[in-house]
Amino acid sequence: MSTSPALSPDEELLALIAEHQYYPDRLAMILWEWGEGELAGIEAPDTWQLTELRELGEDMRATGFNGVDSVRKILRSVGSGRGIGKSADVGMTVVILLAAFPDAKISVMANSGDQLANKTWPEIRKWLRRSIVAHWFEANSSIIYRIGARDSWF
């Protein structure tokens, strides 16, 4: 009788992420320790953010998105005032996609280079740092890549 070796915590996490790969709203609840640390007092993403993530998952399933092969563009936009959490939504979305699709190439754009450098990119890095998968990645001022796979991510 053979027994399979116990999975490491990272292997268990990978299996959980794979199970919910096409459900970004579920992964948002898994990848961050809501109510703890920097997220103390915040129990979950805002309702509108979870709706956006749910709809993104629907689009991903409908287009056959796998992070590598070309599919019909999935365009998402939110029009609003300042301070409602749009950059946080982008940050969570990027981290979710990086965790769920290891070979994905993700391009992030903003209205200006200044906005990308000073608002959007720092927010993405902040949500990566807060995530339970942060130790899987290296992030600098222009790229995030899975540790040990920089050449294939550039």
Side-chain angles (χ1 to χ4, degrees):
M1 179 175 157
S2 68
T3 59
S4 55
L7 296 176
S8 72
D10 274 347
E11 290 169 328
E12 288 180 11
L13 181 55
L14 279 169
L16 183 61
I17 291 169
E19 182 180 337
H20 299 285
Q21 183 177 40
Y22 287 94
Y23 297 88
D25 54 320
R26 296 177 191 171
L27 289 175
M29 298 306 299
I30 293 168
L31 295 178
W32 288 275
E33 296 175 315
W34 298 100
E36 300 179 30
E38 289 183 56
L39 298 173
I42 304 171
E43 298 305 317
D46 289 343
T47 302
W48 76 265
Q49 292 167 326
L50 287 172
T51 299
E52 285 295 315
L53 291 169
R54 190 174 306 109
E55 290 174 3
L56 172 62
E58 291 168 4
D59 288 343
M60 291 163 57
R61 293 187 300 276
T63 62
F65 176 86
N66 65 12
V68 177
D69 297 317
S70 294
V71 298
R72 174 182 51 84
K73 286 183 181 178
I74 298 174
L75 302 173
R76 311 288 311 153
S77 66
V78 175
S80 69
R82 297 177 59 122
I84 69 154
K86 294 183 302 292
S87 294
D89 188 53
V90 170
M92 284 186 281
T93 300
V94 169
V95 174
I96 288 165
L97 293 173
L98 289 172
F101 297 92
D103 296 319
K105 305 289 188 273
I106 302 167
S107 298
V108 178
M109 294 174 268
N111 287 335
S112 69
D114 187 56
Q115 181 182 4
L116 182 62
N118 297 317
K119 179 69 175 168
T120 308
W121 192 249
E123 195 74 11
I124 292 168
R125 291 177 64 197
K126 175 172 71 177
W127 283 95
L128 176 62
R129 184 187 73 247
R130 289 175 168 176
S131 77
I132 63 172
V133 296
H135 64 285
W136 293 353
F137 299 93
E138 183 68 39
N140 61 38
S141 62
S142 62
I143 188 173
I144 298 172
Y145 56 91
R146 196 171 289 261
I147 292 173
R150 187 187 194 298
D151 291 341
S152 66
W153 280 51
F154 187 69

